Amino acid sequence: MLSSSHRAVLEAVARRVVPHAYDGTGADVDVVARIEARLAKAPAERVRDLELALTILGSRVAGLLSGMAAPFPHLVADRQDTLLTRWSTSPLTAARAIYQGVRRLVLAVYYTTPESFEETGYLGPLHLRELA
């Protein structure tokens, strides 16, 4: 559903927002695939909003505005963290909104997958639990 460039930006953001999903210390969840599955059921305007946010975040201009010489997916991890931190506190409302929107999407999708429940101590929905 997402283009390869949008997928690359989203994957790079997910690796910074939930790094434990990729380094083997957390639940093994393909965050981007889960997001794409949710987008398949989402209204078209929501998908367009996310695509626009990913286009902006992944652009060379976004990098330059944050003092980086390359687009977000091509930066090394610590530079990606720096860019995200700058966007989280940017005086530009749009930059903060893009950061918060994409970050919240990644967090919501990761932490609502059953594979991540053990990591947080969540026992799952009450009606699905076994009686003690």
Side-chain angles (χ1 to χ4, degrees):
M1 166 164 254
L2 292 174
S3 70
S4 60
S5 61
H6 290 146
R7 199 172 209 293
V9 174
L10 189 55
E11 181 81 22
V13 171
R15 287 180 178 278
R16 304 317 315 143
V17 173
V18 286
H20 46 282
Y22 297 91
D23 66 9
T25 61
D28 185 22
V29 176
D30 186 345
V31 177
V32 176
R34 299 280 175 109
I35 290 172
E36 285 183 314
R38 290 188 183 197
L39 289 175
K41 300 173 188 171
E45 60 271 6
R46 296 282 184 188
V47 175
R48 282 193 303 273
D49 289 346
L50 178 61
E51 289 173 337
L52 178 59
L54 295 173
T55 297
I56 293 169
L57 184 56
S59 71
R60 185 172 301 278
V61 172
L64 290 173
L65 288 174
S66 301
M68 311 293 166
F72 186 80
H74 299 119
L75 298 171
V76 295
D78 64 324
R79 301 290 281 174
Q80 288 177 338
D81 289 340
T82 300
L83 187 144
L84 290 175
T85 300
R86 287 179 182 168
W87 276 52
S88 73
T89 59
S90 174
L92 300 173
T93 305
R96 289 192 318 271
I98 289 169
Y99 166 79
Q100 287 295 332
V102 175
R103 178 180 170 273
R104 288 176 182 172
L105 175 65
V106 168
L107 288 170
V109 168
Y110 179 76
Y111 285 111
T112 57
T113 59
E115 296 88 348
S116 73
F117 292 172
E118 183 179 334
E119 184 179 330
T120 60
Y122 178 56
L123 301 175
L126 186 59
H127 70 282
L128 296 177
R129 297 181 195 170
E130 292 183 24
L131 297 176

